[in-house]
Amino acid sequence: TKIHEVRATDDHATIMAEGLLRNINLIGRLRISDLVVDGMDAQPTLRFTRDGDIYGYVQLTQRGSIDVNDSTGSCRLRPGSHVRMSGVKNITVQNGGELIIDHASRITRTSAQEIDVKDNASMRVLAGAKAHIGARVRVRAGSSLVIEDSAVVFLHDLIVEAGGTFKVMEGAHVAFG
């Protein structure tokens, strides 16, 4: 099955999506809300190459994935958002991209999916946020996971490889389990 692409190529262009996304890549500045990313026949991806946001509930099924890619790419899980990984693909943050977790946000999984932070990328839980990260986070060399001041985070599983950074700022609390 052929995968189709929709790109926001201009600095001011934004793709807004909700509903069902099947076998289509969305690339650029994304504003996503209440979306099922379904890859029955292909591997659809939400590729954040500019600053973007997730609001509400996003479910990654089959081969659906999220890729925060490029030093100008960021994805912010807005307050109350929930990303559920129920397919076979991971969330990837790479090439200087940043995944930002805001208050009352959750990332959950159904099996062995993980959040892979690599190639000088970062994942950050904002100051004062209370967040649930129910997926394995893998921080590779040159990349970081930062829990900012006064954040309270439940972190299911964490692997920090040699050269990776896990930093908990003063007043923050992290519970593993």
Side-chain angles (χ1 to χ4, degrees), residues 89-127:
K89 302 291 278 182
N90 296 324
I91 294 174
T92 304
V93 188
Q94 60 186 345
N95 299 325
E98 183 174 42
L99 179 61
I100 303 164
I101 311 295
D102 212 329
H103 185 70
S105 295
R106 300 174 2 138
I107 300 174
T108 58
R109 68 179 181 171
T110 57
S111 61
Q113 303 92 340
E114 64 184 29
I115 303 166
D116 191 8
V117 185
K118 60 186 182 179
D119 301 326
N120 297 310
S122 65
M123 181 173 169
R124 186 166 48 103
V125 178
L126 293 178

Side-chain angles (χ1 to χ4, degrees), residues 20-133:
L20 174 65
L21 180 73
R22 181 172 283 154
N23 301 332
I24 299 173
N25 287 336
L26 298 182
I27 302 168
R29 176 176 285 118
L30 308 178
R31 302 285 187 259
I32 305 299
S33 176
D34 299 328
L35 182 69
V36 175
V37 182
D38 184 21
M40 286 181 15
D41 302 319
Q43 297 183 29
T45 301
L46 300 176
R47 185 166 298 134
F48 292 83
T49 58
R50 299 254 192 260
D51 62 312
D53 302 286
I54 291 178
Y55 301 87
Y57 180 74
V58 172
Q59 182 171 359
L60 306 175
T61 64
Q62 308 280 344
R63 290 180 286 236
S65 66
I66 292 176
D67 181 18
V68 184
N69 194 335
D70 197 307
S71 60
T72 59
S74 70
C75 173
R76 183 170 179 170
L77 273 63
R78 291 294 179 169
S81 60
H82 179 189
V83 175
R84 180 167 174 77
M85 302 162 56
S86 61
V88 296
K89 302 291 278 182
N90 296 324
I91 294 174
T92 304
V93 188
Q94 60 186 345
N95 299 325
E98 183 174 42
L99 179 61
I100 303 164
I101 311 295
D102 212 329
H103 185 70
S105 295
R106 300 174 2 138
I107 300 174
T108 58
R109 68 179 181 171
T110 57
S111 61
Q113 303 92 340
E114 64 184 29
I115 303 166
D116 191 8
V117 185
K118 60 186 182 179
D119 301 326
N120 297 310
S122 65
M123 181 173 169
R124 186 166 48 103
V125 178
L126 293 178
K130 290 169 181 48
H132 176 101
I133 303 170

